[in-house]
Amino acid sequence: MSEAAASEAAAGAACRVREATGEDGPAVAEAVAELLVELSGGGPPPHRLEEAVRELAGDGEKGALLVAEAGGEDGIVGVLAASWQHAIHVPGRYGTIQDLWVHPDWRSRAVGRELVDAFCEIARAAGARRIEVGLPRESFERIGATEAFYRANGFEHLGPRMRRKL
């Protein structure tokens, strides 16, 4: 193992990935709010984010909500929220990563990889055959790093997505 890989593995071991609980609501809401500011400049108010955390936490039928915790004062340093999807073109259940955030001080320390790997284990156990994620807009400042992260973790391009808000 190279020195850089050993350093990354040691840094990743400094946190623990677990399923979030409703008690994590404020911390997870704050993390997702930071993600939304970074991606698009804003998002729903904190109380709405906390409601969404409580709704998703512990409801394995809807998806998965994982947190990466560090010891000491750092607390939650990563969040992954995913939902289960069903489509004709993908027979059976598949997972979609909706939110993936790692605290800026903890980026490039294997936290994101550990969150993705933990979700892959949950997805396999749930019978999912694949996981998808949408990339941010091309104008996002860190799009290259985001894309490189997902490629390094086994993802490949599917093409752009679009949405219609209701």
Side-chain angles (χ1 to χ4, degrees), residues 65-139:
L65 181 57
L66 304 172
V67 294
E69 275 185 319
E73 296 177 15
D74 286 330
I76 291 176
V77 297
V79 172
L80 184 146
S83 60
W84 299 124
Q85 309 294 316
H86 296 271
I88 295 170
H89 70 279
V90 181
R93 176 186 274 192
Y94 68 98
T96 299
I97 296 173
Q98 305 292 348
D99 305 296
L100 177 57
W101 171 85
V102 174
H103 188 283
D105 293 345
W106 283 78
R107 292 178 185 168
S108 298
R109 294 173 66 179
V111 175
R113 183 185 71 218
E114 289 187 27
L115 286 162
V116 169
D117 287 349
F119 178 57
C120 286
E121 288 180 30
I122 291 169
R124 278 189 209 96
R129 295 179 185 224
R130 82 189 213 186
I131 295 171
E132 293 185 2
V133 64
L135 291 174
R137 296 181 193 128
E138 288 185 18
S139 60

Side-chain angles (χ1 to χ4, degrees), residues 42-58:
H47 75 277
R48 296 291 308 269
L49 294 173
E50 286 184 42
E51 289 171 7
V53 171
R54 285 190 298 275
E55 187 176 331
L56 185 56

